[in-house]
Amino acid sequence: MAQDELNTPHTPEEIARAAQEASVRAAMEQIQSMYGNIPGFEMPDMSDMQAQIMAQMQAAVPNLAEIQRQQAAMGTLGGVDADTVAQTARANMAQAGDFYRQMQDGSLEQELREMNDLALDSLGEDWTIRRSGDSRLTPEQLRVLALAAPLLVYNDECVDTLDCQIEIDTIKAQLENWWEIADRDSVVKTVNWLLNEGHHADADEALAVLLSDEEVDADPELDEKLDEVRQMVAYMIQNEYCDRTTIPHTAIAWDLVRVVNLGRWAYLCGYVTEEEMWHIMQVGAEVARQEFSSWQEFGLSYTLGRGVWHDDTDDCDTAYEIASLLLGRDDSPWRQIAW
């Protein structure tokens, strides 16, 4: 009997096993060709790796031999022959090689960044100003509620009503998870924190140093925040969100937007009365009137505050897109209600 005939699988089990071994062998060859010549990359023993893979296949599927017999008896080997299995393995390994090379040369990171930018751009085009059309609020109440408009737009809620398009149970869960709010006392505590500290206090301290150009004593925490604020302001100027004469003097608008919306949400959740809600919202409105002279100033402060919030220019972009929408659309409360 010829040697080739001796090496040719005859039984169903041998045929199925040969297909699997061909697939693994092809994969091993592809790994060798791709990574074998990379400096500093030590290749494992191929024969040992192949044996380990086959052993793992057997361990993962205890009845593998029976499956092989059934597949071979049907003449399908699971629907593909050994050559097809091997070809698929080579294609998969080629894709893995491309992925690896993209990681090495940085092109993968660049591609992911571009995809992310496109996604953010598409999100920015989808911001809308929603109205209920049947608002029962007074002009003064609408003026106060307009301060929460950026967050209402962000959450895709109506800007002219207290009614909420978000489920109350969802709001309760968010308030508890984000703020540890579950009753009136925790609402009041959080409102006071937002007004007196929030995410604006440290940013404002750094902003004051930045705008004054004065020398300050070394302070690691202040220096870190100063770097964040400096970079965010530079980003806003570079992207023409503001210029050097219109840099916001405070980031408090970011916290005031949340104060007004928190009062509304707390009322809807039953944590405060309607009277208490309007008091919370009015306090936020009074601080806003003291700090700013226009919706434009308020919008720029909100943009800076949201950007500094996570030290993330994406958040800054989001805030600016929403503020620009509110400043530019005729159906916006910021266009319909005088500051």
Side-chain angles (χ1 to χ4, degrees):
M1 184 178 294
Q3 185 66 31
D4 289 344
E5 188 176 353
L6 285 173
N7 293 332
T8 300
H10 293 284
T11 68
E13 295 93 328
E14 290 174 340
I15 294 172
R17 191 176 298 111
Q20 292 167 338
E21 291 177 350
S23 173
V24 173
R25 187 165 51 254
M28 294 300 101
E29 291 173 355
Q30 191 71 22
I31 292 175
Q32 179 72 51
S33 64
M34 285 192 302
Y35 305 130
N37 296 320
I38 297 177
F41 187 89
E42 184 176 350
M43 291 295 299
D45 181 81
M46 290 293 104
S47 60
D48 182 60
M49 181 181 290
Q50 180 174 332
Q52 289 182 33
I53 292 175
M54 292 301 298
Q56 290 169 2
M57 289 171 62
Q58 183 67 56
V61 187
N63 61 337
L64 180 60
E66 178 61 27
I67 293 174
Q68 291 169 340
R69 280 193 292 271
Q70 293 176 3
Q71 291 175 341
M74 291 186 292
T76 63
L77 291 181
V80 290
D81 59 18
D83 290 339
T84 301
V85 172
Q87 183 177 359
T88 301
R90 292 190 186 97
N92 290 340
M93 291 306 300
Q95 289 181 339
D98 290 339
F99 184 81
Y100 180 83
R101 282 190 290 273
Q102 287 178 314
M103 290 178 62
Q104 291 294 96
D105 63 20
S107 60
L108 177 63
E109 180 181 0
Q110 179 63 30
E111 182 177 348
L112 291 175
R113 286 181 179 275
E114 292 174 356
M115 291 172 62
N116 184 60
D117 290 342
L118 287 174
L120 289 171
D121 289 343
S122 65
L123 284 175
E125 296 171 358
D126 289 338
W127 301 120
T128 58
I129 297 174
R130 297 194 181 279
R131 288 183 169 274
S132 65
D134 62 347
S135 176
R136 296 175 297 278
L137 300 181
T138 67
E140 176 60 21
Q141 290 171 338
L142 287 171
R143 182 182 71 85
V144 173
L145 184 61
L147 292 166
L151 197 52
L152 297 176
V153 170
Y154 183 82
N155 290 328
D156 201 28
E157 295 190 81
C158 294
V159 298
D160 62 344
T161 180
L162 295 177
D163 296 336
C164 189
Q165 290 72 49
I166 303 174
E167 294 289 337
I168 299 302
D169 287 344
T170 300
I171 295 176
K172 287 183 176 181
Q174 290 176 340
L175 289 179
E176 185 169 4
N177 291 335
W178 296 344
W179 306 102
E180 298 182 356
I181 291 176
D183 53 27
R184 181 185 181 280
D185 289 344
S186 51
V187 170
V188 173
K189 179 180 178 181
T190 302
V191 168
N192 287 332
W193 178 77
L194 287 169
L195 290 171
N196 297 301
E197 184 177 350
H199 292 111
H200 71 274
D202 291 342
D204 285 359
E205 182 181 2
L207 189 60
V209 173
L210 178 65
L211 296 178
S212 67
D213 290 328
E214 294 180 358
E215 293 289 337
V216 295
D217 296 334
D219 182 336
E221 291 187 6
L222 177 59
D223 290 344
E224 181 179 357
K225 183 59 67 173
L226 182 59
D227 287 340
E228 293 176 3
V229 171
R230 180 184 293 110
Q231 292 173 13
M232 199 60 59
V233 168
Y235 180 83
M236 291 177 65
I237 293 175
Q238 179 182 356
N239 287 275
E240 300 182 349
Y241 295 171
C242 65
D243 58 34
R244 297 186 182 280
T245 65
T246 57
I247 297 172
H249 68 280
T250 175
I252 197 173
W254 165 239
D255 287 323
L256 295 179
V257 167
R258 296 188 292 173
V259 165
V260 175
N261 191 70
L262 175 56
R264 167 176 163 268
W265 274 10
Y267 166 67
L268 293 173
C269 291
Y271 298 150
V272 299
T273 66
E274 183 175 2
E275 182 180 0
E276 289 171 328
M277 173 198 70
W278 286 118
H279 176 70
I280 290 171
M281 296 169 74
Q282 187 61 45
V283 169
E286 290 175 358
V287 174
R289 297 298 183 271
Q290 294 170 5
E291 293 288 346
F292 308 105
S293 62
S294 67
W295 288 114
Q296 287 84 352
E297 288 186 5
F298 184 76
L300 279 177
S301 173
Y302 171 76
T303 299
L304 174 63
R306 185 179 175 99
V308 174
W309 171 46
H310 279 159
D311 188 24
D312 191 335
T313 56
D314 288 344
D315 284 315
C316 182
D317 291 336
T318 296
Y320 185 75
E321 289 168 2
I322 293 174
S324 297
L325 177 76
L326 289 166
L327 290 169
R329 288 279 296 272
D330 289 339
D331 58 345
S332 165
W334 287 12
R335 291 289 295 271
Q336 298 177 349
I337 300 172
W339 180 257

